Amino acid sequence: MQAYMIVLMIIVPGLLFGVNTYIVKQWGSPDDWNTAYFPRAVVVLSLVLAECSVLLLPLDVGARSPSIYGNVGCGFWNAECGDPTQSLVWIWIGLYITIAVMVIFIIPFAILYYEAWEYKLDSKGTKNGGNDFETSCKEQCCAALRWQFVFSFVGCILLLILYAVFNKVHIPLTSFAATPASFNQKYDPTATFTKVSAIGAMTKSTLVDLPMQVTFLIYLVGCISWLGSWFFCIFAGVGLVLLPVDMIRWWSDRPRAIDIETIIKEKKLLIQRADALHEVATIFKEEVAKSKRTGESRKKSLDRKNWNKLKVAVSQMETKAEHLGYCLEITHDLEATWSTTLLPWIYLFVGVIGIVISLLWFLQICLYILPRAIQAMMGKPNSHAGILFLNEYLQELDKSVPFFGTLTIAILIFWLQLCMIKGVFSLGLRIFVIGIHPMKYGKTLANTFLVNVSMILLSSPSLIAFCCEAFTSYTRSTDASVIFSVQIRYMDMFRYFYDMGIFTITFTGFAVLAFCYTSFRSCCCKSGQRGIDEARFAKAVKKMQKAK
């Protein structure tokens, strides 16, 4: 392993710890600043693990050759390259076992621990001398451990049962039959490798499956990768479009200094809409309460739809009020800050570059991965259809300056992870249009952080599997390719999903839907407001009341 790789392995995790700590502090709620140290530490550690797991693939690509000049196609079968001492297989397995422990044990425990906190009133004076008190750390741990034991016990039993049934892998191999006289080179029993220049007089070649039993560790990584693939396809597909577009939109909608007349006008509009929303909420609440008292039947689906629209409208009004607040700060404070001057332009630059990277990813999917997925759905799972595209570019870089090839694939993979994180923050856990744990800048509680980070961490192994599939020709001979593209891909339990290209189709579908949604929102909803039409809704409800 080269010296610069060792230096990067030491420096990068430290930088990631610092950056993620800053992000958690900026996005976190002030209510958690002096409390919830353990949950926030788990969030930082989870983010670092997710990012390190992604950056480990470029390191694996760079470590497959002992020469700094690189050699495309290195492997243990090639005596001229492929140093067995540079194997990263145990680093991969150790990292993903750590991720499994975090997802199955640590993060659920941290969520339960955080939500077990209570501020109790002791008006009867039976405890703490009649004073109010908080839940102790011991009580939080006991409450969290009770539920965690149940979840862990059920999860471990289920994993063991599934492993006992589905622990086989059938690797497809091409079998050639030939006579000893067919070899143009004599066999040297003392040589480490035997090179065969040509094989003649072959009788036939057949496709056979090599049955093997995988270890429980590989099976555990496979289960996490399979489950995370569903989250990854949705979030990364959506984020691939939304991330660069929202960066440019953030620059376009950046806070600016405004005159006093505009401030007064905007304040009046916000107050009017707040009063209208309050009136709608009051009428809606009274109608629901009245129906419960009288036993009148109501359409729950319609009530749920109106309630969700109301919440969206309130959220949009709060966002507009915050934006107006930033504009007021800039207007009153004449000193420019980097967040109001330089940061928007950084977003614009990254957004423009991001459009190019997202377009490259989409082309790579359409030209290389998608044709194979379509052929797999037609009954040809081992088809070599498609154009190499970025694979050829990366291989040419490896032949000239391999460091640039490693850097390029690192940028591509890291951007895809940022897109996945953007998808989690934008889409997240939603029922209809309402997020269960929405991320809000400066207002995110620790339990919301933990839920969203668990999805990011769960999607990280599937991201590496997707990248190994996208760059099959370039990442061959790496330990990641052996783990994900061979052992996990052809596992009996998961092979059908990979052979049929289900994850690739899902990823592409959500990317196209996100593009259509973004285009529609940009073209048709520039001046409109989302949510509910307060005046029309209130008028309709009042008419219903009069009719009764």
Side-chain angles (χ1 to χ4, degrees), residues 265-314:
K265 181 181 177 182
E266 291 292 334
K267 278 188 174 181
K268 287 182 178 179
L269 291 175
L270 281 175
I271 292 172
Q272 290 176 2
R273 193 176 187 204
D275 292 338
L277 287 172
H278 183 266
E279 181 182 1
V280 169
T282 303
I283 295 172
F284 188 79
K285 183 178 179 180
E286 291 175 354
E287 283 294 306
V288 173
K290 183 179 179 181
S291 65
K292 288 183 178 179
R293 289 195 305 269
T294 59
E296 180 184 354
S297 62
R298 294 177 62 88
K299 291 184 178 181
K300 293 184 178 180
S301 59
L302 183 61
D303 287 344
R304 190 184 300 112
K305 181 180 179 181
N306 290 331
W307 179 248
N308 289 341
K309 285 184 177 181
L310 180 63
K311 292 186 70 175
V312 171
V314 172

Side-chain angles (χ1 to χ4, degrees), residues 104-277:
I104 299 174
F105 298 103
I106 305 300
I107 293 180
F109 174 79
I111 295 174
L112 295 170
Y113 175 84
Y114 178 82
E115 295 183 348
W117 181 89
E118 288 182 308
Y119 187 81
K120 300 180 180 180
L121 301 177
D122 191 23
S123 57
K124 295 181 180 181
T126 57
K127 187 175 181 180
N128 200 30
N131 298 320
D132 301 338
F133 61 95
E134 299 179 359
T135 305
S136 65
C137 180
K138 180 180 178 181
E139 291 175 331
Q140 287 180 263
C141 290
C142 292
L145 284 173
R146 283 196 297 267
W147 288 104
Q148 182 62 40
F149 175 78
V150 176
F151 296 151
S152 301
F153 179 78
V154 174
C156 290
I157 294 297
L158 183 62
L159 274 175
L160 290 175
I161 293 174
L162 291 175
Y163 175 71
V165 179
F166 302 102
N167 60 1
K168 294 292 191 297
V169 57
H170 290 81
I171 304 173
L173 297 175
T174 302
S175 173
F176 295 96
T179 61
S182 303
F183 294 92
N184 295 333
Q185 183 175 347
K186 294 183 179 179
Y187 172 70
D188 184 5
T190 62
T192 306
F193 295 90
T194 301
K195 295 181 181 180
V196 180
S197 58
I199 300 178
M202 284 189 287
T203 57
K204 62 178 180 178
S205 63
T206 57
L207 187 64
V208 297
D209 285 342
L210 177 65
M212 296 178 62
Q213 181 175 342
V214 297
T215 62
F216 181 76
L217 297 180
I218 295 294
Y219 177 80
L220 182 60
V221 175
C223 288
I224 296 175
S225 177
W226 178 84
L227 182 61
S229 293
W230 299 104
F231 294 103
F232 169 77
C233 292
I234 297 173
F235 298 141
V238 171
L240 195 67
V241 178
L242 291 186
L243 180 59
V245 172
D246 282 355
M247 280 187 167
I248 296 175
R249 183 179 287 115
W250 195 90
W251 168 82
S252 177
D253 297 337
R254 65 190 182 279
R256 298 179 178 90
I258 54 180
D259 57 89
I260 301 300
E261 293 181 359
T262 306
I263 293 175
I264 296 173
K265 181 181 177 182
E266 291 292 334
K267 278 188 174 181
K268 287 182 178 179
L269 291 175
L270 281 175
I271 292 172
Q272 290 176 2
R273 193 176 187 204
D275 292 338
L277 287 172

Side-chain angles (χ1 to χ4, degrees), residues 347-380:
Y347 272 96
L348 176 63
F349 175 76
V350 177
V352 173
I353 299 298
I355 290 177
V356 177
I357 300 177
S358 293
L359 182 61
L360 289 175
W361 264 112
F362 192 75
L363 290 175
Q364 180 69 14
I365 293 168
C366 293
L367 297 176
Y368 185 71
I369 309 177
L370 196 57
R372 294 189 170 199
I374 295 174
Q375 289 291 321
M377 294 181 69
M378 296 173 63
K380 301 177 182 178

